[in-house]
Amino acid sequence: MFKLRQKVFDNNRGERGEVTKVHPLGGLITLQNANGFSWLAANENCSATEKRKPTIIERPSGEPFRIPPGTIPHENMRPFDLRVGDFAFLDGRLLRIRDMRGRFGGGRTLIFDGGRARPAGGAERIYRSLR
């Protein structure tokens, strides 16, 4: 029911925590609070905290697009600063970089979810996870 690193609220303890382990039997999860204290909790006694709604901004064409939750923008990222897992633009859409390949002359080819690819340009705006 819950995933690793998901933020939940333990109704029995009245405390928020992050899922650090999902036990396969018994419907138990291990939670850890911000102070590092861990405890066992039953799935049925926990509820997911409210998810952050994605921010909507406009493309240069004026159409809105959603910033992936849990990411922040990074301006002027050069091709060698990019990482797998970053989000970059492809045909006006923000897609996750699944893989990268080196090119002659120090360039990179970005491979996105869905298998589409494009060469990494000059400095560009990307969105990177906070983790």
Side-chain angles (χ1 to χ4, degrees):
M1 180 172 171
F2 296 108
K3 299 177 186 174
L4 288 176
R5 296 189 301 273
Q6 184 176 0
K7 307 285 188 206
V8 298
F9 183 78
D10 185 349
N11 296 313
N12 279 352
R13 293 179 65 98
E15 191 170 0
R16 294 179 190 269
E18 181 176 303
V19 178
T20 57
K21 184 174 182 181
V22 177
H23 300 274
L25 300 174
L28 296 174
I29 55 176
T30 302
L31 298 176
Q32 184 176 14
N33 66 10
N35 296 327
F37 178 78
S38 296
W39 71 94
L40 280 175
N43 280 336
E44 62 268 9
N45 295 332
C46 295
S47 55
T49 57
E50 186 177 316
K51 292 184 179 180
R52 188 180 114 201
K53 295 181 181 175
T55 306
I56 298 176
I57 60 176
E58 290 188 0
R59 295 181 177 133
S61 65
E63 296 176 43
F65 71 91
R66 295 185 185 275
I67 295 173
T71 63
I72 57 173
H74 290 272
E75 302 288 338
N76 301 322
M77 297 294 281
R78 293 169 290 186
F80 57 85
D81 292 329
L82 300 176
R83 300 179 190 164
V84 171
D86 289 346
F87 289 83
F89 287 99
L90 175 68
D91 297 333
R93 295 180 54 210
L94 203 53
L95 297 173
R96 190 177 74 82
I97 299 171
R98 185 180 71 196
D99 196 6
M100 289 185 279
R101 304 295 166 138
R103 291 185 13 209
F104 182 75
R108 287 190 173 180
T109 298
L110 306 178
I111 302 170
F112 295 92
D113 283 344
R116 297 185 61 195
R118 75 164 170 85
E124 61 183 279
R125 171 188 273 192
I126 60 107
Y127 291 83
R128 182 168 288 163
S129 175
L130 294 171
R131 296 179 206 183

